[in-house]
Amino acid sequence: ITPASMTIVFLGITIGTIMTMSSSNWLMAWIGLELNMLAILPIISKPKTTRASEATTKYFLTQAIASAMMLLSSTMNAWQTGNWSILELKNKFSTTIMALSLMMKMGAAPIHFWLPEVLQGTTLQTALIITTWQKIAPVTLMYMISNNIQPTILVSAGILSMIIGGLGGINQTQLRKMMAYSSINNLGWTITIMAFFPNMALMNIFTYIIMTTPIFLMMTNMSTKTLQNLSTTWTTSMTMTLSIALLMLSTSGLPPFTGFMPKMLILNELISQKLTTLATLAI
């Protein structure tokens, strides 16, 4: 891929996300997400391998289904309310479909199946884009409609994401798949608190992005793709290996690291909402 075409592709990704974030109309938000999706496909398929082609196809099909669900939901709502405004999503059925389509777009359980496979089939740099930048637009839309979504749906999906993200990462030796399950787990926390305190959900996702970015960049720098690679980098780059270890502990939410702060605040909010059982499950 030439530098000019790469520039166009990255412009598409950036403009698509910004367009979705700044729109108040479902059609414009949908166009932004479509532009974003079509722009990232050449980046995923850049390594000329069958794994990369497979990952591109999986990503495209999943995102296309999610976009179709999103368009169906907003059209049904427009028939009932007479407008395409994002904040006017009143129909319960439309809201449920929209929530599911956004969860599918960001890779939250129970529609998470595509994320570990896509990340495993592409490069570390592309995996970084998918786990960070590509989450911003769907999370923003979910934030905008969070008042209309039934808390039961968000909490159920959130708890399921936490469980799948936590258990799925245990048996992995591939770092990209581990990071994918880490992303699913973190989205669980974000979605659960979205039902009660949307601003905290945004803080949680941005804290996660800030912590994940350096992990991927250091893994790219050291060309480590498996746990075995990571265990042998200690001799060549001690500082970087130690940094990755500390950042991973931070991402998992261990005190006294940064990643513990949003999780502590989320648990505090859940307990203050009299959801003690839920908070215990989250721990």
Side-chain angles (χ1 to χ4, degrees):
I1 300 175
T2 60
S5 56
M6 280 304 279
T7 308
I8 294 164
V9 162
F10 278 109
L11 265 174
I13 293 169
T14 313
I15 291 166
T17 301
I18 292 167
M19 191 189 289
T20 303
M21 287 172 73
S22 57
S23 63
S24 59
N25 181 298
W26 277 120
L27 279 177
M28 287 305 290
W30 175 76
I31 289 165
L33 285 168
E34 288 296 292
L35 176 65
N36 184 292
M37 176 191 76
L38 292 170
I40 200 170
L41 293 176
I43 300 177
I44 301 172
S45 61
K46 195 184 173 191
K48 297 290 176 275
T49 59
T50 47
R51 275 312 277 278
S53 305
E54 190 185 324
T56 311
T57 311
K58 280 177 181 172
Y59 186 83
F60 172 71
L61 290 173
T62 314
Q63 297 293 319
I65 292 163
S67 292
M69 284 168 68
M70 190 178 166
L71 208 55
L72 169 72
S73 166
S74 51
T75 308
M76 283 171 63
N77 187 66
W79 274 339
Q80 286 209 336
T81 60
N83 67 52
W84 289 87
S85 172
I86 290 175
L87 300 173
E88 292 294 318
L89 196 68
K90 303 292 182 192
N91 183 357
K92 272 189 179 179
F93 185 61
S94 296
T95 314
T96 307
I97 294 176
M98 184 61 73
L100 286 170
S101 74
L102 292 173
M103 285 173 201
M104 197 173 188
K105 279 210 166 283
M106 62 177 93
I111 325 167
H112 66 283
F113 51 84
W114 62 272
L115 188 62
E117 296 299 318
V118 170
L119 255 60
Q120 187 55 35
T122 189
T123 61
L124 285 164
Q125 294 98 316
T126 313
L128 168 63
I129 297 168
I130 294 168
T131 50
T132 56
W133 183 260
Q134 295 298 88
K135 300 257 189 293
I136 296 171
V139 167
T140 308
L141 286 175
M142 192 173 268
Y143 172 81
M144 290 166 84
I145 64 165
S146 58
N147 290 336
N148 300 325
I149 307 173
Q150 289 169 290
T152 320
I153 294 164
L154 288 175
V155 169
S156 305
I159 292 292
L160 195 62
S161 295
M162 285 182 206
I163 294 166
I164 288 170
L167 296 177
I170 292 171
N171 205 26
Q172 299 299 331
T173 54
Q174 297 287 334
L175 288 173
R176 278 167 295 180
K177 278 196 175 180
M178 277 179 68
M179 293 307 290
Y181 283 109
S182 164
S183 171
I184 293 164
N185 178 274
N186 187 269
L187 279 171
W189 287 88
T190 306
I191 292 167
T192 304
I193 199 62
M194 189 76 81
F196 310 104
F197 200 156
N199 289 350
M200 200 175 285
L202 285 189
M203 185 198 71
N204 184 55
I205 197 79
F206 283 114
T207 309
Y208 170 76
I209 288 170
I210 290 162
M211 290 186 300
T212 305
T213 307
I215 294 177
F216 272 109
L217 292 174
M218 283 190 276
M219 276 159 51
T220 309
N221 193 20
M222 296 192 294
S223 302
T224 52
K225 290 178 182 175
T226 62
L227 277 174
Q228 196 176 2
N229 290 155
L230 199 61
S231 62
T232 55
T233 52
W234 183 260
T235 49
T236 53
S237 182
M238 188 176 162
T239 316
M240 220 171 261
T241 313
L242 189 64
S243 302
I244 287 184
L246 291 172
L247 278 164
M248 281 184 168
L249 287 172
S250 182
T251 318
S252 60
L254 242 68
F257 300 106
T258 316
F260 174 66
M261 181 194 64
K263 286 183 172 61
M264 184 186 69
L265 291 171
I266 289 168
L267 288 172
N268 183 49
E269 183 62 29
L270 289 174
I271 291 162
S272 66
Q273 292 275 356
K274 304 285 189 290
L275 295 164
T276 319
T277 317
L278 197 61
T280 316
L281 265 172
I283 297 165

PDB file of all heavy atoms in Angstrom, residues 123-156:
ATOM      1  N   THR A 123      -1.990  -7.660  12.252  1.00  0.00           N
ATOM      2  CA  THR A 123      -0.754  -7.203  12.909  1.00  0.00           C
ATOM      3  C   THR A 123      -1.056  -6.541  14.251  1.00  0.00           C
ATOM      4  O   THR A 123      -2.207  -6.201  14.535  1.00  0.00           O
ATOM      5  CB  THR A 123      -0.012  -6.175  12.015  1.00  0.00           C
ATOM      6  OG1 THR A 123      -0.887  -5.037  11.835  1.00  0.00           O
ATOM      7  CG2 THR A 123       0.346  -6.761  10.668  1.00  0.00           C
ATOM      8  N   LEU A 124      -0.004  -6.329  15.039  1.00  0.00           N
ATOM      9  CA  LEU A 124      -0.169  -5.708  16.366  1.00  0.00           C
ATOM     10  C   LEU A 124      -0.667  -4.266  16.260  1.00  0.00           C
ATOM     11  O   LEU A 124      -1.476  -3.824  17.071  1.00  0.00           O
ATOM     12  CB  LEU A 124       1.154  -5.748  17.133  1.00  0.00           C
ATOM     13  CG  LEU A 124       1.556  -7.117  17.704  1.00  0.00           C
ATOM     14  CD1 LEU A 124       3.020  -7.131  18.078  1.00  0.00           C
ATOM     15  CD2 LEU A 124       0.708  -7.479  18.920  1.00  0.00           C
ATOM     16  N   GLN A 125      -0.186  -3.540  15.224  1.00  0.00           N
ATOM     17  CA  GLN A 125      -0.621  -2.139  15.051  1.00  0.00           C
ATOM     18  C   GLN A 125      -2.116  -2.069  14.751  1.00  0.00           C
ATOM     19  O   GLN A 125      -2.829  -1.216  15.286  1.00  0.00           O
ATOM     20  CB  GLN A 125       0.150  -1.445  13.907  1.00  0.00           C
ATOM     21  CG  GLN A 125       1.628  -1.267  14.177  1.00  0.00           C
ATOM     22  CD  GLN A 125       2.449  -2.368  13.516  1.00  0.00           C
ATOM     23  OE1 GLN A 125       2.086  -3.545  13.569  1.00  0.00           O
ATOM     24  NE2 GLN A 125       3.557  -1.993  12.900  1.00  0.00           N
ATOM     25  N   THR A 126      -2.589  -2.986  13.879  1.00  0.00           N
ATOM     26  CA  THR A 126      -4.015  -3.003  13.530  1.00  0.00           C
ATOM     27  C   THR A 126      -4.845  -3.439  14.735  1.00  0.00           C
ATOM     28  O   THR A 126      -5.928  -2.905  14.974  1.00  0.00           O
ATOM     29  CB  THR A 126      -4.261  -3.962  12.342  1.00  0.00           C
ATOM     30  OG1 THR A 126      -3.290  -3.704  11.335  1.00  0.00           O
ATOM     31  CG2 THR A 126      -5.638  -3.787  11.769  1.00  0.00           C
ATOM     32  N   ALA A 127      -4.316  -4.406  15.498  1.00  0.00           N
ATOM     33  CA  ALA A 127      -5.003  -4.860  16.720  1.00  0.00           C
ATOM     34  C   ALA A 127      -5.176  -3.692  17.689  1.00  0.00           C
ATOM     35  O   ALA A 127      -6.214  -3.570  18.352  1.00  0.00           O
ATOM     36  CB  ALA A 127      -4.211  -5.988  17.375  1.00  0.00           C
ATOM     37  N   LEU A 128      -4.168  -2.822  17.743  1.00  0.00           N
ATOM     38  CA  LEU A 128      -4.239  -1.629  18.597  1.00  0.00           C
ATOM     39  C   LEU A 128      -5.389  -0.719  18.160  1.00  0.00           C
ATOM     40  O   LEU A 128      -6.176  -0.247  18.986  1.00  0.00           O
ATOM     41  CB  LEU A 128      -2.903  -0.864  18.542  1.00  0.00           C
ATOM     42  CG  LEU A 128      -2.874   0.544  19.130  1.00  0.00           C
ATOM     43  CD1 LEU A 128      -3.164   0.520  20.622  1.00  0.00           C
ATOM     44  CD2 LEU A 128      -1.532   1.221  18.883  1.00  0.00           C
ATOM     45  N   ILE A 129      -5.507  -0.495  16.840  1.00  0.00           N
ATOM     46  CA  ILE A 129      -6.579   0.370  16.311  1.00  0.00           C
ATOM     47  C   ILE A 129      -7.949  -0.225  16.637  1.00  0.00           C
ATOM     48  O   ILE A 129      -8.861   0.474  17.081  1.00  0.00           O
ATOM     49  CB  ILE A 129      -6.426   0.588  14.787  1.00  0.00           C
ATOM     50  CG1 ILE A 129      -5.124   1.324  14.472  1.00  0.00           C
ATOM     51  CG2 ILE A 129      -7.616   1.380  14.229  1.00  0.00           C
ATOM     52  CD1 ILE A 129      -4.741   1.327  12.994  1.00  0.00           C
ATOM     53  N   ILE A 130      -8.099  -1.552  16.441  1.00  0.00           N
ATOM     54  CA  ILE A 130      -9.399  -2.206  16.660  1.00  0.00           C
ATOM     55  C   ILE A 130      -9.804  -2.162  18.135  1.00  0.00           C
ATOM     56  O   ILE A 130     -10.962  -1.937  18.463  1.00  0.00           O
ATOM     57  CB  ILE A 130      -9.385  -3.661  16.127  1.00  0.00           C
ATOM     58  CG1 ILE A 130      -9.230  -3.663  14.600  1.00  0.00           C
ATOM     59  CG2 ILE A 130     -10.658  -4.412  16.517  1.00  0.00           C
ATOM     60  CD1 ILE A 130      -8.914  -5.017  13.993  1.00  0.00           C
ATOM     61  N   THR A 131      -8.843  -2.365  19.033  1.00  0.00           N
ATOM     62  CA  THR A 131      -9.191  -2.407  20.467  1.00  0.00           C
ATOM     63  C   THR A 131      -9.323  -1.017  21.104  1.00  0.00           C
ATOM     64  O   THR A 131      -9.841  -0.908  22.213  1.00  0.00           O
ATOM     65  CB  THR A 131      -8.154  -3.216  21.282  1.00  0.00           C
ATOM     66  OG1 THR A 131      -6.854  -2.752  20.952  1.00  0.00           O
ATOM     67  CG2 THR A 131      -8.270  -4.691  21.021  1.00  0.00           C
ATOM     68  N   THR A 132      -8.835   0.015  20.440  1.00  0.00           N
ATOM     69  CA  THR A 132      -8.929   1.364  21.033  1.00  0.00           C
ATOM     70  C   THR A 132      -9.805   2.301  20.200  1.00  0.00           C
ATOM     71  O   THR A 132     -10.956   2.541  20.545  1.00  0.00           O
ATOM     72  CB  THR A 132      -7.521   1.971  21.220  1.00  0.00           C
ATOM     73  OG1 THR A 132      -6.842   1.973  19.960  1.00  0.00           O
ATOM     74  CG2 THR A 132      -6.712   1.200  22.233  1.00  0.00           C
ATOM     75  N   TRP A 133      -9.304   2.774  19.079  1.00  0.00           N
ATOM     76  CA  TRP A 133      -9.999   3.794  18.274  1.00  0.00           C
ATOM     77  C   TRP A 133     -11.376   3.324  17.807  1.00  0.00           C
ATOM     78  O   TRP A 133     -12.345   4.083  17.832  1.00  0.00           O
ATOM     79  CB  TRP A 133      -9.129   4.187  17.071  1.00  0.00           C
ATOM     80  CG  TRP A 133      -9.733   5.278  16.246  1.00  0.00           C
ATOM     81  CD1 TRP A 133     -10.419   5.135  15.074  1.00  0.00           C
ATOM     82  CD2 TRP A 133      -9.756   6.680  16.543  1.00  0.00           C
ATOM     83  NE1 TRP A 133     -10.851   6.354  14.617  1.00  0.00           N
ATOM     84  CE2 TRP A 133     -10.453   7.325  15.510  1.00  0.00           C
ATOM     85  CE3 TRP A 133      -9.240   7.445  17.596  1.00  0.00           C
ATOM     86  CZ2 TRP A 133     -10.649   8.697  15.480  1.00  0.00           C
ATOM     87  CZ3 TRP A 133      -9.444   8.822  17.568  1.00  0.00           C
ATOM     88  CH2 TRP A 133     -10.137   9.435  16.523  1.00  0.00           C
ATOM     89  N   GLN A 134     -11.483   2.044  17.388  1.00  0.00           N
ATOM     90  CA  GLN A 134     -12.738   1.534  16.838  1.00  0.00           C
ATOM     91  C   GLN A 134     -13.847   1.406  17.885  1.00  0.00           C
ATOM     92  O   GLN A 134     -15.000   1.217  17.546  1.00  0.00           O
ATOM     93  CB  GLN A 134     -12.519   0.172  16.160  1.00  0.00           C
ATOM     94  CG  GLN A 134     -11.625   0.220  14.929  1.00  0.00           C
ATOM     95  CD  GLN A 134     -12.189   1.087  13.813  1.00  0.00           C
ATOM     96  OE1 GLN A 134     -11.951   2.286  13.761  1.00  0.00           O
ATOM     97  NE2 GLN A 134     -12.957   0.497  12.941  1.00  0.00           N
ATOM     98  N   LYS A 135     -13.481   1.506  19.158  1.00  0.00           N
ATOM     99  CA  LYS A 135     -14.484   1.407  20.234  1.00  0.00           C
ATOM    100  C   LYS A 135     -15.140   2.771  20.523  1.00  0.00           C
ATOM    101  O   LYS A 135     -16.229   2.826  21.075  1.00  0.00           O
ATOM    102  CB  LYS A 135     -13.821   0.922  21.531  1.00  0.00           C
ATOM    103  CG  LYS A 135     -13.163  -0.435  21.438  1.00  0.00           C
ATOM    104  CD  LYS A 135     -14.008  -1.497  22.074  1.00  0.00           C
ATOM    105  CE  LYS A 135     -13.275  -2.798  22.177  1.00  0.00           C
ATOM    106  NZ  LYS A 135     -12.970  -3.440  20.914  1.00  0.00           N
ATOM    107  N   ILE A 136     -14.443   3.848  20.147  1.00  0.00           N
ATOM    108  CA  ILE A 136     -14.892   5.194  20.550  1.00  0.00           C
ATOM    109  C   ILE A 136     -16.287   5.535  20.007  1.00  0.00           C
ATOM    110  O   ILE A 136     -17.165   5.959  20.762  1.00  0.00           O
ATOM    111  CB  ILE A 136     -13.855   6.265  20.145  1.00  0.00           C
ATOM    112  CG1 ILE A 136     -12.538   6.030  20.898  1.00  0.00           C
ATOM    113  CG2 ILE A 136     -14.379   7.675  20.436  1.00  0.00           C
ATOM    114  CD1 ILE A 136     -11.375   6.890  20.420  1.00  0.00           C
ATOM    115  N   ALA A 137     -16.516   5.323  18.698  1.00  0.00           N
ATOM    116  CA  ALA A 137     -17.805   5.687  18.086  1.00  0.00           C
ATOM    117  C   ALA A 137     -18.989   4.914  18.674  1.00  0.00           C
ATOM    118  O   ALA A 137     -19.971   5.533  19.108  1.00  0.00           O
ATOM    119  CB  ALA A 137     -17.733   5.530  16.570  1.00  0.00           C
ATOM    120  N   PRO A 138     -18.932   3.550  18.761  1.00  0.00           N
ATOM    121  CA  PRO A 138     -20.077   2.840  19.356  1.00  0.00           C
ATOM    122  C   PRO A 138     -20.323   3.195  20.815  1.00  0.00           C
ATOM    123  O   PRO A 138     -21.475   3.309  21.236  1.00  0.00           O
ATOM    124  CB  PRO A 138     -19.694   1.355  19.230  1.00  0.00           C
ATOM    125  CG  PRO A 138     -18.565   1.280  18.297  1.00  0.00           C
ATOM    126  CD  PRO A 138     -17.922   2.610  18.245  1.00  0.00           C
ATOM    127  N   VAL A 139     -19.234   3.394  21.590  1.00  0.00           N
ATOM    128  CA  VAL A 139     -19.399   3.757  23.007  1.00  0.00           C
ATOM    129  C   VAL A 139     -20.065   5.131  23.120  1.00  0.00           C
ATOM    130  O   VAL A 139     -20.935   5.334  23.971  1.00  0.00           O
ATOM    131  CB  VAL A 139     -18.041   3.726  23.760  1.00  0.00           C
ATOM    132  CG1 VAL A 139     -18.148   4.405  25.116  1.00  0.00           C
ATOM    133  CG2 VAL A 139     -17.563   2.288  23.953  1.00  0.00           C
ATOM    134  N   THR A 140     -19.692   6.058  22.242  1.00  0.00           N
ATOM    135  CA  THR A 140     -20.302   7.399  22.248  1.00  0.00           C
ATOM    136  C   THR A 140     -21.796   7.311  21.962  1.00  0.00           C
ATOM    137  O   THR A 140     -22.604   7.963  22.635  1.00  0.00           O
ATOM    138  CB  THR A 140     -19.621   8.317  21.207  1.00  0.00           C
ATOM    139  OG1 THR A 140     -18.214   8.282  21.409  1.00  0.00           O
ATOM    140  CG2 THR A 140     -20.111   9.746  21.317  1.00  0.00           C
ATOM    141  N   LEU A 141     -22.167   6.499  20.964  1.00  0.00           N
ATOM    142  CA  LEU A 141     -23.594   6.347  20.628  1.00  0.00           C
ATOM    143  C   LEU A 141     -24.359   5.705  21.785  1.00  0.00           C
ATOM    144  O   LEU A 141     -25.472   6.118  22.106  1.00  0.00           O
ATOM    145  CB  LEU A 141     -23.759   5.497  19.360  1.00  0.00           C
ATOM    146  CG  LEU A 141     -23.395   6.177  18.032  1.00  0.00           C
ATOM    147  CD1 LEU A 141     -23.483   5.180  16.893  1.00  0.00           C
ATOM    148  CD2 LEU A 141     -24.305   7.369  17.747  1.00  0.00           C
ATOM    149  N   MET A 142     -23.740   4.701  22.428  1.00  0.00           N
ATOM    150  CA  MET A 142     -24.390   4.046  23.569  1.00  0.00           C
ATOM    151  C   MET A 142     -24.555   5.031  24.729  1.00  0.00           C
ATOM    152  O   MET A 142     -25.572   5.012  25.421  1.00  0.00           O
ATOM    153  CB  MET A 142     -23.588   2.827  24.012  1.00  0.00           C
ATOM    154  CG  MET A 142     -24.348   1.958  24.980  1.00  0.00           C
ATOM    155  SD  MET A 142     -23.513   0.423  25.367  1.00  0.00           S
ATOM    156  CE  MET A 142     -24.225  -0.640  24.142  1.00  0.00           C
ATOM    157  N   TYR A 143     -23.568   5.893  24.903  1.00  0.00           N
ATOM    158  CA  TYR A 143     -23.628   6.936  25.940  1.00  0.00           C
ATOM    159  C   TYR A 143     -24.821   7.866  25.679  1.00  0.00           C
ATOM    160  O   TYR A 143     -25.540   8.253  26.600  1.00  0.00           O
ATOM    161  CB  TYR A 143     -22.321   7.722  25.927  1.00  0.00           C
ATOM    162  CG  TYR A 143     -22.293   8.948  26.811  1.00  0.00           C
ATOM    163  CD1 TYR A 143     -22.054   8.843  28.175  1.00  0.00           C
ATOM    164  CD2 TYR A 143     -22.499  10.228  26.273  1.00  0.00           C
ATOM    165  CE1 TYR A 143     -22.023   9.973  28.988  1.00  0.00           C
ATOM    166  CE2 TYR A 143     -22.470  11.356  27.082  1.00  0.00           C
ATOM    167  CZ  TYR A 143     -22.234  11.225  28.438  1.00  0.00           C
ATOM    168  OH  TYR A 143     -22.210  12.341  29.228  1.00  0.00           O
ATOM    169  N   MET A 144     -25.033   8.200  24.383  1.00  0.00           N
ATOM    170  CA  MET A 144     -26.106   9.129  24.022  1.00  0.00           C
ATOM    171  C   MET A 144     -27.503   8.536  24.226  1.00  0.00           C
ATOM    172  O   MET A 144     -28.455   9.254  24.508  1.00  0.00           O
ATOM    173  CB  MET A 144     -25.937   9.581  22.571  1.00  0.00           C
ATOM    174  CG  MET A 144     -24.745  10.503  22.375  1.00  0.00           C
ATOM    175  SD  MET A 144     -24.292  10.737  20.650  1.00  0.00           S
ATOM    176  CE  MET A 144     -25.392  12.037  20.170  1.00  0.00           C
ATOM    177  N   ILE A 145     -27.614   7.204  24.072  1.00  0.00           N
ATOM    178  CA  ILE A 145     -28.943   6.580  24.231  1.00  0.00           C
ATOM    179  C   ILE A 145     -29.081   5.814  25.550  1.00  0.00           C
ATOM    180  O   ILE A 145     -30.068   5.119  25.761  1.00  0.00           O
ATOM    181  CB  ILE A 145     -29.267   5.652  23.031  1.00  0.00           C
ATOM    182  CG1 ILE A 145     -28.282   4.460  22.962  1.00  0.00           C
ATOM    183  CG2 ILE A 145     -29.326   6.413  21.730  1.00  0.00           C
ATOM    184  CD1 ILE A 145     -28.738   3.327  22.061  1.00  0.00           C
ATOM    185  N   SER A 146     -28.076   5.935  26.436  1.00  0.00           N
ATOM    186  CA  SER A 146     -28.067   5.142  27.678  1.00  0.00           C
ATOM    187  C   SER A 146     -29.308   5.351  28.548  1.00  0.00           C
ATOM    188  O   SER A 146     -29.745   4.429  29.240  1.00  0.00           O
ATOM    189  CB  SER A 146     -26.812   5.436  28.495  1.00  0.00           C
ATOM    190  OG  SER A 146     -26.746   6.810  28.799  1.00  0.00           O
ATOM    191  N   ASN A 147     -29.901   6.543  28.513  1.00  0.00           N
ATOM    192  CA  ASN A 147     -31.094   6.803  29.338  1.00  0.00           C
ATOM    193  C   ASN A 147     -32.298   5.993  28.871  1.00  0.00           C
ATOM    194  O   ASN A 147     -33.204   5.723  29.647  1.00  0.00           O
ATOM    195  CB  ASN A 147     -31.464   8.297  29.288  1.00  0.00           C
ATOM    196  CG  ASN A 147     -30.447   9.144  30.020  1.00  0.00           C
ATOM    197  OD1 ASN A 147     -29.752   8.649  30.905  1.00  0.00           O
ATOM    198  ND2 ASN A 147     -30.337  10.409  29.642  1.00  0.00           N
ATOM    199  N   ASN A 148     -32.307   5.627  27.569  1.00  0.00           N
ATOM    200  CA  ASN A 148     -33.464   4.925  27.011  1.00  0.00           C
ATOM    201  C   ASN A 148     -33.314   3.402  27.034  1.00  0.00           C
ATOM    202  O   ASN A 148     -34.295   2.691  26.865  1.00  0.00           O
ATOM    203  CB  ASN A 148     -33.705   5.381  25.566  1.00  0.00           C
ATOM    204  CG  ASN A 148     -33.979   6.871  25.479  1.00  0.00           C
ATOM    205  OD1 ASN A 148     -34.601   7.446  26.364  1.00  0.00           O
ATOM    206  ND2 ASN A 148     -33.503   7.512  24.437  1.00  0.00           N
ATOM    207  N   ILE A 149     -32.083   2.901  27.216  1.00  0.00           N
ATOM    208  CA  ILE A 149     -31.883   1.444  27.222  1.00  0.00           C
ATOM    209  C   ILE A 149     -32.292   0.883  28.588  1.00  0.00           C
ATOM    210  O   ILE A 149     -31.982   1.469  29.620  1.00  0.00           O
ATOM    211  CB  ILE A 149     -30.406   1.068  26.927  1.00  0.00           C
ATOM    212  CG1 ILE A 149     -29.914   1.735  25.651  1.00  0.00           C
ATOM    213  CG2 ILE A 149     -30.252  -0.444  26.807  1.00  0.00           C
ATOM    214  CD1 ILE A 149     -28.425   1.558  25.388  1.00  0.00           C
ATOM    215  N   GLN A 150     -32.969  -0.272  28.554  1.00  0.00           N
ATOM    216  CA  GLN A 150     -33.366  -0.907  29.820  1.00  0.00           C
ATOM    217  C   GLN A 150     -32.111  -1.366  30.575  1.00  0.00           C
ATOM    218  O   GLN A 150     -31.271  -2.084  30.007  1.00  0.00           O
ATOM    219  CB  GLN A 150     -34.265  -2.104  29.533  1.00  0.00           C
ATOM    220  CG  GLN A 150     -35.643  -1.707  29.027  1.00  0.00           C
ATOM    221  CD  GLN A 150     -36.398  -2.905  28.501  1.00  0.00           C
ATOM    222  OE1 GLN A 150     -36.073  -3.465  27.459  1.00  0.00           O
ATOM    223  NE2 GLN A 150     -37.420  -3.327  29.244  1.00  0.00           N
ATOM    224  N   PRO A 151     -31.973  -0.977  31.851  1.00  0.00           N
ATOM    225  CA  PRO A 151     -30.777  -1.349  32.623  1.00  0.00           C
ATOM    226  C   PRO A 151     -30.511  -2.847  32.661  1.00  0.00           C
ATOM    227  O   PRO A 151     -29.363  -3.288  32.673  1.00  0.00           O
ATOM    228  CB  PRO A 151     -31.086  -0.813  34.029  1.00  0.00           C
ATOM    229  CG  PRO A 151     -32.086   0.265  33.812  1.00  0.00           C
ATOM    230  CD  PRO A 151     -32.884  -0.135  32.630  1.00  0.00           C
ATOM    231  N   THR A 152     -31.588  -3.660  32.631  1.00  0.00           N
ATOM    232  CA  THR A 152     -31.435  -5.131  32.677  1.00  0.00           C
ATOM    233  C   THR A 152     -30.573  -5.622  31.523  1.00  0.00           C
ATOM    234  O   THR A 152     -29.720  -6.501  31.694  1.00  0.00           O
ATOM    235  CB  THR A 152     -32.823  -5.814  32.601  1.00  0.00           C
ATOM    236  OG1 THR A 152     -33.730  -5.072  33.389  1.00  0.00           O
ATOM    237  CG2 THR A 152     -32.761  -7.259  33.058  1.00  0.00           C
ATOM    238  N   ILE A 153     -30.803  -5.067  30.325  1.00  0.00           N
ATOM    239  CA  ILE A 153     -30.060  -5.489  29.123  1.00  0.00           C
ATOM    240  C   ILE A 153     -28.583  -5.143  29.283  1.00  0.00           C
ATOM    241  O   ILE A 153     -27.701  -5.976  29.058  1.00  0.00           O
ATOM    242  CB  ILE A 153     -30.645  -4.817  27.853  1.00  0.00           C
ATOM    243  CG1 ILE A 153     -32.059  -5.312  27.599  1.00  0.00           C
ATOM    244  CG2 ILE A 153     -29.760  -5.077  26.632  1.00  0.00           C
ATOM    245  CD1 ILE A 153     -32.862  -4.479  26.634  1.00  0.00           C
ATOM    246  N   LEU A 154     -28.314  -3.904  29.698  1.00  0.00           N
ATOM    247  CA  LEU A 154     -26.922  -3.453  29.852  1.00  0.00           C
ATOM    248  C   LEU A 154     -26.194  -4.253  30.934  1.00  0.00           C
ATOM    249  O   LEU A 154     -25.063  -4.691  30.739  1.00  0.00           O
ATOM    250  CB  LEU A 154     -26.883  -1.959  30.181  1.00  0.00           C
ATOM    251  CG  LEU A 154     -27.244  -0.994  29.046  1.00  0.00           C
ATOM    252  CD1 LEU A 154     -27.279   0.434  29.569  1.00  0.00           C
ATOM    253  CD2 LEU A 154     -26.275  -1.091  27.882  1.00  0.00           C
ATOM    254  N   VAL A 155     -26.860  -4.435  32.060  1.00  0.00           N
ATOM    255  CA  VAL A 155     -26.226  -5.150  33.179  1.00  0.00           C
ATOM    256  C   VAL A 155     -25.958  -6.612  32.810  1.00  0.00           C
ATOM    257  O   VAL A 155     -24.877  -7.140  33.081  1.00  0.00           O
ATOM    258  CB  VAL A 155     -27.084  -5.034  34.459  1.00  0.00           C
ATOM    259  CG1 VAL A 155     -26.588  -5.974  35.546  1.00  0.00           C
ATOM    260  CG2 VAL A 155     -27.071  -3.593  34.972  1.00  0.00           C
ATOM    261  N   SER A 156     -26.936  -7.268  32.150  1.00  0.00           N
ATOM    262  CA  SER A 156     -26.768  -8.676  31.748  1.00  0.00           C
ATOM    263  C   SER A 156     -25.585  -8.823  30.791  1.00  0.00           C
ATOM    264  O   SER A 156     -24.726  -9.701  30.970  1.00  0.00           O
ATOM    265  CB  SER A 156     -28.036  -9.201  31.065  1.00  0.00           C
ATOM    266  OG  SER A 156     -29.143  -9.023  31.895  1.00  0.00           O
TER     267      SER A 156
END
